[in-house]
């Protein structure tokens, strides 16, 4: 039975039992704790947790899942894929244990002719949680399964919870006995390969108050409404119903494996039995290829692009493992273009969007393979050298520094180094590698800190902070009255800053925004009694302390002075526009491209912003316009902008976007625009209403590394100025070609066509002219010791192509009745060219075109060559073409002897 049919029967069976059919959620789901959806229940979590009321009492789905934790199992067990589909039926306070068991049994054992899966009842086993007498009894009562085939197991195997306080309950798993050729008898407790788990029924009945580990938790009571959550591996049941040994041999996976075997000339299964755990390494590799290709296809299909972190890294790792496995199997050419389409053909039965999106999907995958091939080419040689060196010295471990430099210089991921070293029988000093990585990170941090501190010693700043943290007023006012807490110059505390000097000023309170979160520091002025200081930069050298880098314009300032700190209001409004604009563009990006287009960095200053985000390919002009349109509509909607302080978990709950790898304080600030439309953790300054952003115009989109794109935009007045400039340009052009702006494009296109036509016409005329000369030239044929020689300088404008055509034409006209040599020179683009043609009788007398051209070209100060019958050359000295032809004459005479 085909997988697609098993899936169809599943949905229609549960639909006939009153379940609503819910489509699969994408693999990336709005859950910050999950890399990918890994079970059928994930999209239903809010119902099970009581956060939302389910719209149905019963539901069923076939959910796409990815379990990255199973990557090492792939190919080595018969039943673990990185991607798989989980069939599920769910009850929200409706039926419970009896209903779940009864329906599962019915679907599994109803004969195939009657719409079921037709598994013989005596091949089925069930497990229950050891204390769950109720379930054990129900199995025997409702299905007639003998008591001996209902096995009791402990908490580790048969109890389910979410790892946190919340719902929990016992489960009951269903196993199929695949027969003695797969392993020893005795049930699932003895052999999980022979007795394969296909279906897990979870009975959510208790409320857990404290969960310490998988097997250590407190039950605080019964759930008011009991739920059912089940999961059956579609690939696993398919392997049973299709009578194959493992999930890599089912109809949705095997064609890729077969193709890979064909490409590498391997005979799959020739050296292995049924037992996956003892397969030949080549068979395992073929399964890895088939599995990873399919998973990559599904991941890219759902918007994941290869990258160095998080989801992108999982995808990168799978694509690279597939490519590497193909190489180990002996296939060195690009392999994805052969394999990915095969997988798409199979999977698009159930997921038609894979076919329509295949252009995009394949582009991302193939580009990654190309990038990886380059990395491999560079790194493999280095690795091989390092391995050879280690072995020669009698070592068994590759130094951490080698692994680090491979990573640092060639982008070799550590797992690849581990794998490749292992293939050559070496270990890698992982500890050493980790230490070096940490040192590198520390260095980068120290560099960033040094910039923040304006190169002053941290101790200086800590001392200044002893009087208290700076009162940061940037969110509430543009002007503050303040006192000078301390002055720093060249890294040391000083008593005074004088006119013309630069240094740092620390105040007890400031309205200046210190650079952070991509937003640059405010500009403005600090005035004191008789003194004026221009603010050049504002940083936080240590936590809580703000330092203004200033240049003293007039007067002098001393610690203790009363000052007025004033942010340039024009600057600030522009800065706010830029920062709010960045959030708006980010939200617009995600609205248009989907949630995987996540910001990885940003920078904004008055009038300008840029945003780096995860995406595998260039945006089309249409997509760019769409993003711009969505962003400007949000500006026009005048959405309220507000900031809220809350705990980090609460911010997560709000769905606020945070940057990968950043560390945040316990209390975080969430800036939202238009409510949930845009929520980001952010310490920046913002406008109050989106309309104050004024205008946004995207000016560029480019690549900044693999899988990361950069979008740039102008905001506010700068956006208008940018547009005005473009308008002026259009005006100049319309003036130049004398049309209305609307006709400009057509006119330029028409002009280009005319230029092309004119060029072609010119070319034709020149050809004709050249050919017209030819007839006359025949009269100049001379006899040199019995050889007919025709030399001619065609002069300026006659290029190599022209001369060749002419020489061949002349040779043809002169015929083969006597030995003939044609030698022509010309000048094209300021350089002399020479062409020589000989006929067969001439060649028989030893007169060869190649040799003649070499002599002529030498005279011209260059070189050339060709065959005996036709050759060409060129040089640099246009004044010596006559001389060159003379040399040809002399050579012919000499050759004719
Ligand atoms: P196992 O112990 O075999 O890894 P599991 O206990 O992790 O399975 P569950 O979390 O209960 O599995 O998931 C429910 C069902 O999903 C399983 O009964 C199985 O049929 C299927 N399943 C789980 N993991 C995979 C996988 N990596 N590949 C294919 N199917 C899987
Ligand atoms: Mg598992």
């Amino acid at each position: 039975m085909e997988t697609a049919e098993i899936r169809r029967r599943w949905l229609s069976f549960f639909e006939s039992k009153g379940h609503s059919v819910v489509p699969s959620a994408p693999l990336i789901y709005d859950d910050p704790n999950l890399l990918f959806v890994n079970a059928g229940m994930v999209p239903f979590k809010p119902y099970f947790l009581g956060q939302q009321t389910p719209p149905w009492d019963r539901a069923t789905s076939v959910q796409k899942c990815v379990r990255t934790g199973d990557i090492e199992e792939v190919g080595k067990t018969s039943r673990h894929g990185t991607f798989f589909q989980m069939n599920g039926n769910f009850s929200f306070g409706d039926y419970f244990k009896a209903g779940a068991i009864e329906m599962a049994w019915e679907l599994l054992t109803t004969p195939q002719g009657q719409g079921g899966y037709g598994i013989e009842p005596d091949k089925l086993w069930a497990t229950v949680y050891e204390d769950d007498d109720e379930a054990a009894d129900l199995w025997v009562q409702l299905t007639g399964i003998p008591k001996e085939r209902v096995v009791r197991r402990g908490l580790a195997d048969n109890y389910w919870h979410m790892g946190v306080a919340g719902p929990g309950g016992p489960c009951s798993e269903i196993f199929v006995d695949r027969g003695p050729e797969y392993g020893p008898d005795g049930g699932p407790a003895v052999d999980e390969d022979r007795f394969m788990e296909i279906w897990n029924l979870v009975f959510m009945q208790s409320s857990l108050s404290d969960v310490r580990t998988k097997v250590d938790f407190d039950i605080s009571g019964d759930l008011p409404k009991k739920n059912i959550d089940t999961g059956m591996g579609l690939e696993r049941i398919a392997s049973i119903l299709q009578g194959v040994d493992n999930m890599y041999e089912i109809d949705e996976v095997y064609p890729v494996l077969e193709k890979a075997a064909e490409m590498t000339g391997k005979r799959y299964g020739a050296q292995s039995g049924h037992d996956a755990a003892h397969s030949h390494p080549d068979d395992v590799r073929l399964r890895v290829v088939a599995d990873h290709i399919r998973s990559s296809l599904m991941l890219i299909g759902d918007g994941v692009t290869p990258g160095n972190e998080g989801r992108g890294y999982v995808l990168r790792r799978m694509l690279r493992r597939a490519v590497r496995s193909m190489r180990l199997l002996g296939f060195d050419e690009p392999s994805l273009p052969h394999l990915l389409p095969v997988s798409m053909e199979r999977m698009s039965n159930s997921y038609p969007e894979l076919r329509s999106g295949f252009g995009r999907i394949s582009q991302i995958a193939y580009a990654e393979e190309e990038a990886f091939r380059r990395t491999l080419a560079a790194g493999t040689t280095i690795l091989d050298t390092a391995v050879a060196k280690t072995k020669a010295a009698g070592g068994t471990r590759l130094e951490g520094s080698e692994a680090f430099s491979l990573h640092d210089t060639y982008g070799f991921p550590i797992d690849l180094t581990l794998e490749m070293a292992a293939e050559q029988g070496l270990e890698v000093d992982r500890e050493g590698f980790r230490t070096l990585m940490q040192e590198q990170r520390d260095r980068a941090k120290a560099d960033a800190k040094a910039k923040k501190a304006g190169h002053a010693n941290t101790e200086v700043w800590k001392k200044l902070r002893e009087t208290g943290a700076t009162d940061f007023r940037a969110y509430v006012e543009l002007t503050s009255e303040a006192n000078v807490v301390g002055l720093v110059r060249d890294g040391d505390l000083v008593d005074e800053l004088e006119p013309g000097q630069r240094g740092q000023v620390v105040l007890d309170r400031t309205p200046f925004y210190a650079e952070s979160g991509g937003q640059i520091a405010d500009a403005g002025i600090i005035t004191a009694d008789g003194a004026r200081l221009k603010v050049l930069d504002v940083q936080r050298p240590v936590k809580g302390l703000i330092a203004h880098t200033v240049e003293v314009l007039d007067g002098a300032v001393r610690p203790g002075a009363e000052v007025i700190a004033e942010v340039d209001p024009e600057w600030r409004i522009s800065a706010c526009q830029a920062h709010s604009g960045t959030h708006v563009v980010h939200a617009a990006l995600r609205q248009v491209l989907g949630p995987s287009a996540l910001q990885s960095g940003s920078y904004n200053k008055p009038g300008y912003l840029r945003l780096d985000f995860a995406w595998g390919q260039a945006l089309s002009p249409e997509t760019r316009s769409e993003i711009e349109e969505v962003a400007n509509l949000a500006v026009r909607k005048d959405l309220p902008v507000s900031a809220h302080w809350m705990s980090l978990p609460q911010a997560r709950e709000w769905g606020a976007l945070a940057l990968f790898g950043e560390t945040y304080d316990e209390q975080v600030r969430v800036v939202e625009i238009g409510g949930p439309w845009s929520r980001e953790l952010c310490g920046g300054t913002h406008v109050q209403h989106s309309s104050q952003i004024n205008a946004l115009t995207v000016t560029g989109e480019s690549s900044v590394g693999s899988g990361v794109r950069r979008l740039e935009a102008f905001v506010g007045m700068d956006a208008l100025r940018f547009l005005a400039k473009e308008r002026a340009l259009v005006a100049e052009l319309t003036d130049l070609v004398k049309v209305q702006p609307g006709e400009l494009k057509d006119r330029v296109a028409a002009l280009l066509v005319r230029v092309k036509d004119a060029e072609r016409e010119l070319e034709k005329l020149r050809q004709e002219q050249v050919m017209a000369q030819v007839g006359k030239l025949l009269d100049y044929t001379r006899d040199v010791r019995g050889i007919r020689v025709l030399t001619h300088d065609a002069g300026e404008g006659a290029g190599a192509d022209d001369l060749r055509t002419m020489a061949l034409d002349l040779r043809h006209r002169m015929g083969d009745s006597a030995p003939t040599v044609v030698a022509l020179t010309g000048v094209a683009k300021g350089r002399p060219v020479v062409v020589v043609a000989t006929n067969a009788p001439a060649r028989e007398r030893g007169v060869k075109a190649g040799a003649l051209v070499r002599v002529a070209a030498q005279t011209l100060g260059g070189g050339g060559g060709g065959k005996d019958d036709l050759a060409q050359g060129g040089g640099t000295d246009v004044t010596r073409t006559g001389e060159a032809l003379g040399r040809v004459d002399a050579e012919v005479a000499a050759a004719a002897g």
Side-chain angles (χ1 to χ4, degrees):
M1 195 185 296
E2 284 209 347
T3 305
E5 174 63 14
I6 300 173
R7 168 195 165 93
R8 200 192 58 71
R9 286 188 184 201
W10 174 279
L11 293 174
S12 78
F13 174 81
F14 282 103
E15 197 174 21
S16 78
K17 304 277 181 193
H19 294 65
S20 295
V21 175
V22 179
S24 174
L27 285 166
I28 305 177
Y29 199 65
D30 245 352
D31 185 335
N33 300 315
L34 272 186
L35 219 44
F36 301 109
V37 171
N38 59 3
M41 60 83 67
V42 169
F44 301 105
K45 249 191 198 171
Y47 309 136
F48 290 132
L49 288 171
Q51 293 163 339
Q52 283 175 32
T53 317
W56 345 262
D57 294 335
R58 300 176 175 203
T60 182
S61 68
V62 176
Q63 173 64 45
K64 297 184 261 191
C65 296
V66 164
R67 287 192 181 177
T68 49
D70 285 345
I71 194 165
E72 297 298 341
E73 309 288 340
V74 172
K76 296 179 190 155
T77 76
S78 56
R79 58 189 192 281
H80 288 96
T82 45
F83 171 85
F84 65 98
Q85 298 153 89
M86 201 187 282
N87 297 359
N89 58 291
F90 308 93
S91 155
F92 308 102
D94 188 8
Y95 61 84
F96 200 48
K97 291 179 191 175
I101 291 172
E102 216 166 13
M103 283 188 274
W105 188 261
E106 183 183 338
L107 177 59
L108 289 175
T109 58
T110 300
Q112 295 192 358
Q114 294 164 35
Y117 292 153
I119 299 179
E120 286 162 40
D122 60 4
K123 291 201 172 141
L124 291 170
W125 287 64
T127 61
V128 296
Y129 173 53
E130 54 196 0
D131 292 344
D132 194 357
D133 296 334
E134 186 190 2
D137 290 346
L138 283 171
W139 270 111
V140 177
Q141 273 170 31
L142 295 172
T143 70
I145 192 172
K147 232 182 167 144
E148 313 78 64
R149 294 215 312 270
V150 179
V151 183
R152 290 178 187 248
R153 294 177 107 176
L155 284 175
D157 288 307
N158 281 52
Y159 200 92
W160 175 92
H161 55 68
M162 290 191 195
V164 291
C171 22
S172 178
E173 294 177 333
I174 304 172
F175 292 74
V176 177
D177 179 1
R178 302 199 293 160
E181 61 278 29
Y182 290 93
D185 205 351
V190 172
D191 190 309
E192 288 224 3
D193 226 18
R194 167 167 174 179
F195 299 90
M196 182 161 74
E197 175 191 334
I198 53 164
W199 198 342
N200 188 1
L201 315 179
V202 177
F203 310 134
M204 269 181 235
Q205 60 187 33
S206 304
S207 185
L208 313 189
S209 56
D210 186 14
V211 177
R212 291 170 295 272
T213 67
K214 174 122 177 65
V215 294
D216 182 17
F217 49 82
D218 298 330
I219 295 180
S220 56
D222 285 346
L223 283 176
K225 281 176 123 193
K226 297 188 169 65
N227 303 314
I228 289 291
D229 153 29
T230 87
M232 176 170 81
L234 180 55
E235 286 75 6
R236 291 194 185 175
I237 184 100
S239 69
I240 303 271
L241 297 186
Q242 293 172 16
V244 293
D245 281 344
N246 54 60
M247 67 166 278
Y248 321 102
E249 295 172 18
I250 67 167
D251 60 335
E252 279 190 350
V253 185
Y254 192 62
V256 177
L257 195 159
E258 211 176 12
K259 180 78 192 177
E262 177 200 315
M263 287 161 68
T264 55
K266 301 286 177 192
R267 273 185 57 220
Y268 173 71
Q271 292 134 300
S272 307
H274 293 297
D275 184 357
H278 299 97
S279 295
H280 187 273
D282 281 350
D283 288 345
V284 175
R285 285 182 188 130
L286 287 168
R287 293 182 197 132
V288 165
V289 170
D291 172 85
H292 287 12
I293 292 285
R294 185 167 81 131
S295 302
S296 303
L297 171 78
M298 300 308 293
L299 284 172
I300 304 175
D302 275 354
V304 183
T305 50
N308 284 334
E309 277 170 298
R311 297 177 175 125
Y313 187 64
V314 172
L315 170 61
R316 170 160 287 167
R317 188 160 171 222
M318 287 208 254
L319 278 170
R320 292 185 166 195
R321 267 188 112 205
V323 171
R324 280 258 313 138
S325 301
M326 285 301 284
R327 287 173 85 98
L328 292 174
L329 287 163
F331 192 81
D332 281 343
E333 300 296 305
S335 57
L336 295 183
H338 302 283
L339 299 170
L340 201 66
V342 179
S343 191
M344 183 275 286
E345 282 302 329
R346 295 310 309 178
M347 295 309 291
S348 55
N349 284 341
S350 297
Y351 305 95
E353 67 278 9
L354 293 173
R355 186 181 295 282
S356 51
F358 195 64
R360 179 187 70 84
I361 296 170
S362 57
Q363 198 189 347
I364 292 173
Y366 300 167
E368 178 66 11
E369 178 169 27
E370 281 311 319
F372 183 48
R373 287 171 62 82
R374 286 193 297 272
T375 302
L376 269 180
T380 306
T381 343
I382 309 289
L383 181 74
D384 286 348
T385 316
V387 166
K389 212 171 72 191
T390 310
K391 282 188 175 166
T396 55
R397 243 159 71 124
L398 203 65
E399 301 234 356
S401 58
E402 301 280 8
F404 176 74
S405 87
L406 273 166
H407 171 88
D408 202 39
T409 320
Y410 299 97
F412 248 51
I414 180 68
D415 49 31
L416 187 64
T417 305
L418 289 173
E419 242 178 79
M420 289 178 64
E423 276 154 21
Q424 309 210 43
L426 288 190
E427 291 179 354
V428 176
D429 174 14
R430 293 195 209 201
E431 201 41 57
F433 171 79
R434 260 196 295 272
T435 311
L436 288 167
M437 284 295 286
Q438 191 53 44
E439 280 171 13
Q440 187 191 40
R441 259 180 235 131
D442 292 347
R443 267 198 307 277
K445 260 194 201 151
D447 286 351
K449 243 196 189 142
K451 176 179 189 298
K452 276 191 176 173
H455 300 290
N457 191 331
T458 332
E459 294 314 311
V460 171
W461 302 116
K462 283 191 179 148
K463 195 158 182 318
L464 285 171
R465 198 180 49 192
E466 278 167 16
T467 52
T470 315
D471 180 9
F472 180 62
R473 321 248 334 142
Y475 298 141
V476 288
E477 63 193 23
L478 289 177
T479 306
S480 305
E481 287 175 15
N483 286 303
V484 175
V485 173
L487 300 170
V488 173
R489 198 164 156 251
D490 294 335
D492 294 318
L493 285 172
V494 291
D495 285 336
E496 191 180 71
L497 284 177
E498 291 169 11
Q501 284 184 337
R502 282 188 182 201
Q504 280 83 31
V505 178
V506 174
L507 305 174
D508 59 350
R509 151 184 323 137
T510 184
F512 281 86
Y513 182 77
E515 174 173 354
S516 73
Q519 180 180 340
I520 71 166
D522 275 335
I525 207 115
I526 297 174
T527 49
D529 194 16
R532 280 195 319 132
L533 318 174
K534 186 174 169 192
V535 176
L536 306 172
D537 192 14
V538 189
Q539 298 285 340
R540 277 177 221 261
V542 289
K543 207 168 166 156
L545 193 81
I546 294 177
H548 311 74
T549 299
V550 298
E551 184 185 309
V552 182
L553 301 177
D554 310 300
V557 14
R558 275 169 212 91
E562 285 181 8
V563 299
I564 293 177
E566 236 179 314
V567 176
D568 175 353
E570 279 300 318
W571 174 283
R572 173 61 82 72
I573 179 72
S574 300
C576 291
Q577 286 178 324
H579 203 149
S580 301
T582 310
H583 288 211
V584 165
V585 170
H586 189 200
L589 255 179
R590 291 165 61 80
Q591 185 174 325
V592 173
L593 300 178
S596 66
L598 201 58
Q599 175 186 321
S600 57
S602 72
Y603 171 82
N604 60 83
K605 62 176 185 184
Y608 168 87
L609 67 90
R610 71 167 187 245
L611 192 98
D612 296 343
F613 60 102
W615 200 248
Q617 59 195 327
L619 302 183
S620 68
E622 295 75 37
T623 309
R624 259 173 64 174
S625 306
E626 198 184 337
I627 291 164
E628 198 177 54
E629 174 101 4
V630 170
N632 277 303
L633 279 175
V635 171
R636 198 201 59 181
K637 272 190 212 146
D638 199 20
L639 304 170
V641 182
S642 54
H644 310 266
W645 288 93
M646 60 186 74
S647 67
L648 194 53
Q650 196 186 347
R652 286 234 172 83
E653 216 159 277
W654 265 41
L657 301 172
L659 273 184
F660 252 129
E662 283 281 302
T663 45
Y664 291 99
D665 286 338
E666 237 149 68
Q667 283 293 305
V668 293
R669 185 169 177 261
V670 175
V671 172
E672 64 168 15
I673 302 179
W677 185 69
S678 162
R679 280 181 178 151
E680 298 193 28
L681 294 198
C682 176
T685 63
H686 287 271
V687 298
Q688 276 127 18
H689 287 270
S690 63
S691 63
Q692 290 168 321
I693 296 169
N694 203 316
L696 247 160
T697 176
V698 174
T699 58
E701 196 261 346
S702 55
S703 162
V704 280
S706 171
V708 183
R709 309 290 306 177
R710 169 171 294 173
L711 206 79
E712 292 176 275
F714 284 130
V715 284
M717 281 307 290
D718 289 87
L720 298 177
R721 283 187 200 115
F722 175 82
L723 294 175
K725 249 201 214 151
E726 296 221 313
R727 196 180 51 200
L729 182 67
V730 170
E732 279 170 39
L733 289 175
T734 51
D735 202 39
L736 208 63
V737 295
K738 309 252 177 315
V739 289
Q740 293 301 308
E743 297 155 13
L744 187 60
K745 195 175 130 202
D746 288 346
R747 170 57 65 92
V748 172
L751 281 174
L752 286 176
V753 168
R754 273 174 56 186
V755 168
K756 274 245 167 63
D757 284 350
E759 278 172 351
R760 223 176 287 135
E761 189 65 18
L762 207 66
E763 177 65 15
K764 220 174 89 195
L765 284 173
R766 240 190 32 216
Q767 286 267 335
E768 282 170 14
Q769 220 173 22
V770 167
M771 291 309 159
Q773 290 181 5
V774 169
K776 279 181 237 148
L777 284 178
L778 290 172
D779 299 343
Y780 297 101
T781 310
R782 285 164 292 121
D783 182 88
V784 177
R785 297 196 184 173
I787 298 176
R788 291 182 295 177
V789 177
L790 174 52
T791 58
H792 172 65
D793 181 14
E796 186 73 43
D801 288 348
D802 300 331
L803 294 185
R804 251 194 340 265
T805 316
M806 224 163 122
L808 292 174
D809 189 40
L810 284 166
R811 189 180 68 183
H812 174 71
R813 289 190 197 207
M814 291 163 80
D816 275 345
S817 60
T820 303
V821 175
V822 179
L824 306 171
T825 53
V827 176
K829 295 193 184 122
R831 285 178 169 271
V833 265
V834 55
V835 170
V836 177
T838 57
N839 70 356
R843 295 197 290 277
E844 275 154 26
R845 287 192 53 181
V847 182
K848 293 174 177 167
L852 295 176
V853 150
R854 263 192 295 280
V855 173
Q858 215 171 22
T859 313
L860 296 173
K867 292 196 234 136
D868 291 349
D869 63 332
L870 182 70
Q872 80 179 53
T876 49
D877 192 346
V878 295
T879 63
R880 298 177 70 183
T881 49
E883 203 178 315
L885 291 174
R887 291 291 308 273
V888 170
D889 256 8
E891 280 296 312
V892 173

